[in-house]
Amino acid sequence: MKPTLHASDLFILVIISLPFFYLAYIFNTLPQTVPTHFGISGKPDRFSDKSAMWGIISFTGGISMLLFLLFRFLPNIDPKKTAKYSAPVFNKIAVAVVLLMCAINFIIINSAQTGAFKFSKGMPVVIGLFFSFMGNLMHSIKPNYFAGIRTPWTLENEETWRLTHQLGGKLWFFGGIVIAVASLFIPEKAMPFFMMGCILILAVIPIVYSYTTFKKIEKREKKS
């Protein structure tokens, strides 16, 4: 299978380009010196000339494009040839990643414009929706070495992979909704800590579950 791009991929290029158009539109209204880094409190702790915004947006946009191409062509570069079974899912993940990075770029530009990083005003919603979307897809990801909950136990046993991704999909879907909704009620200063705690839970539970499930399956197979 030769790597090919489709006409629909032009949509991706448009999405990646949107933050550049937005920055160009508001560039003259930005102060000459803008904040380019913020502490956990949301207050700026590093400043640069506003021209540095082009580099920041280009870096984030470049990562977005690289991740898109990686997921888009995984079936072509997978030496085990297992990624092809999840090609439609990987295409959806590629689009979701581009939309996530685009939203982050808009938040970065807005933070430079306002001089404050309002964490609870956008980022939790974006990340929460991303987790929910990924959770909705997770049960469809077939065993592979590139994407999904890749622990030694899920990669060793296909049933462990399936059960872990069923649990992980539900956990991520509802966990993402909780993160997005919680941003409406949790105080802004507490939101970063709440986010880190939620992400830690969403990461650790599937890993532990994959281990315990593998051991149960292993024990069952030894008895049979």
Side-chain angles (χ1 to χ4, degrees), residues 18 26 37 44 58 65 83 106 132 138 146 172-173 188 190 206 214:
L18 285 178
I26 68 164
H37 189 273
S58 297
M65 177 60 77
F106 271 102
S132 289
M138 196 171 287
F146 293 95
W172 281 35
F173 178 79
E188 186 173 335
F214 177 80

Side-chain angles (χ1 to χ4, degrees), residues 8-33:
S8 59
D9 294 328
L10 291 175
F11 168 75
I12 298 300
L13 294 177
V14 171
I15 295 300
I16 293 175
S17 301
L18 285 178
F20 292 92
F21 288 117
Y22 178 57
L23 180 59
Y25 178 74
I26 68 164
F27 190 75
N28 290 334
T29 67
L30 293 176
Q32 192 60 42
T33 301

Side-chain angles (χ1 to χ4, degrees), residues 67-78:
L67 290 173
F68 169 74
L69 293 174
L70 175 62
F71 280 108
R72 186 72 170 73
F73 295 125
L74 271 182
N76 304 100
I77 63 176
D78 177 18

Side-chain angles (χ1 to χ4, degrees), residues 4-140:
T4 56
L5 289 170
H6 303 295
S8 59
D9 294 328
L10 291 175
F11 168 75
I12 298 300
L13 294 177
V14 171
I15 295 300
I16 293 175
S17 301
L18 285 178
F20 292 92
F21 288 117
Y22 178 57
L23 180 59
Y25 178 74
I26 68 164
F27 190 75
N28 290 334
T29 67
L30 293 176
Q32 192 60 42
T33 301
V34 297
T36 53
H37 189 273
F38 299 85
I40 197 167
S41 64
K43 295 181 179 180
D45 54 19
R46 187 184 306 163
F47 295 84
S48 301
D49 187 87
K50 65 180 182 179
S51 60
M53 290 298 300
W54 291 110
I56 295 172
I57 299 304
S58 297
F59 178 76
T60 309
I63 292 176
S64 177
M65 177 60 77
L66 287 175
L67 290 173
F68 169 74
L69 293 174
L70 175 62
F71 280 108
R72 186 72 170 73
F73 295 125
L74 271 182
N76 304 100
I77 63 176
D78 177 18
K80 297 289 185 179
K81 304 303 179 184
T82 57
K84 62 182 179 181
Y85 301 114
S86 301
V89 181
F90 290 149
N91 287 337
K92 293 177 181 178
I93 294 174
V95 174
V97 168
V98 169
L99 291 173
L100 172 68
M101 300 302 284
C102 177
I104 290 174
N105 260 343
F106 271 102
I107 292 172
I108 290 173
I109 296 170
N110 180 259
S111 298
Q113 187 178 29
T114 61
F117 182 67
K118 299 295 185 181
F119 186 90
S120 66
K121 299 303 181 183
M123 191 68 78
V125 175
V126 170
I127 295 176
L129 292 177
F130 179 76
F131 269 107
S132 289
F133 182 80
M134 290 295 293
N136 195 46
L137 296 177
M138 196 171 287
H139 70 281
S140 301

